[in-house]
Structure formats: C-alpha cells, structure tokens
Amino acid sequence: MIRAPATHSPGHITSVGLGTFVDPNLSGGAVNEAAKNSKFHDDLVSRISLDSEEFLMYKALPIDVAIIRGTTADAQGNITIEEESLLCDQKIIAAAAKNSGGLVIAQVKRLAANGSLPARSVAVPGPLVDCVVVV
C-alpha cells in the first residue's frame, strides 16, 4: 500500500479481502458502528470490476511524514545503508511521502563530505530527503 502513492497510483488493486470484513459489500473494514458512520469509511476500499472479474481497490493514503533510517548522508541528502541490516523500502517510503507533499526525515549515523559517497551505494537520492538527523 506504500507503493501506490510512490507511483502516483490511485490505489492498490487486489482480490485479497473479497468476501471478508474489508469487502465494501459486507462491512467495508469497519469494526463498529462509529467506524461505519465515519466520513472516511466509504473512501478507503471500493469494489471494482476488471475483465468481468471482481477486485478490491484500497485507496492510496497520503503520507505526511516519513522517517527513514540510513548509515551515511552527505550535504545533498544522499543516504547510504552500508551498516543497516536490510533495505526496508526506504526509497519507496521517501518517494511516497514526497509525492504526497509530505516531509522526509532521514536518521543516519554519520555525515560525509559532499560528493564522497559512491553513486552505486546511494540507496535514497538527495532530492527525496528534506532533513537529516545524525544520531
């Protein structure tokens, strides 16, 4: 579901959830009456038909703030992850926040001189990062 705003997609289309509580023909994911009466309830999941087959479309939700983790950042905001245990979609999360008009904060271990990071080791490009915090 994070990938939808990252690619400017209106939502995620899947058959997962058909006939379950998230199906709009049943409860639409509402767990109680207050949720059913919420102004957001009808906008989250819709049932669509493609090639005579039924699917659910989970609406892409805007991301206001994304906090990502990296190892090294340079002055342009390029982030590397050489000491992180795994790449957890930092780039996709950052792109989703930027495409939603949100803020991207990167937590890193250290700063590097501008231009010193090898291009192939940059996991998140600088234009996707708004703020770098060294911890």
Side-chain angles (χ1 to χ4, degrees), residues 11-107:
H12 181 71
I13 298 172
T14 180
S15 60
V16 173
L18 280 171
T20 69
F21 79 101
V22 295
D23 193 328
N25 291 351
L26 300 174
S27 68
V31 295
N32 56 35
E33 286 303 315
K36 285 182 186 175
N37 297 329
S38 167
K39 64 180 180 177
F40 303 110
H41 178 258
D42 294 334
D43 295 335
L44 296 177
V45 182
S46 59
R47 195 172 186 141
I48 63 171
S49 180
L50 295 171
D51 291 332
S52 332
E53 194 173 339
E54 292 293 313
F55 294 93
L56 294 179
M57 185 175 96
Y58 296 89
K59 182 181 176 188
L61 300 174
I63 299 173
D64 296 325
V65 177
I67 301 173
I68 60 173
R69 169 76 186 178
T71 304
T72 309
D74 67 10
Q76 294 177 323
N78 295 309
I79 308 295
T80 65
I81 56 167
E82 66 269 11
E83 292 180 14
E84 305 310 308
S85 57
L86 61 138
L87 174 61
C88 294
D89 294 332
Q90 290 98 326
K91 186 172 166 183
I92 291 168
I93 292 168
K98 292 303 279 187
N99 288 345
S100 298
L103 179 73
V104 177
I105 302 168
Q107 175 188 338

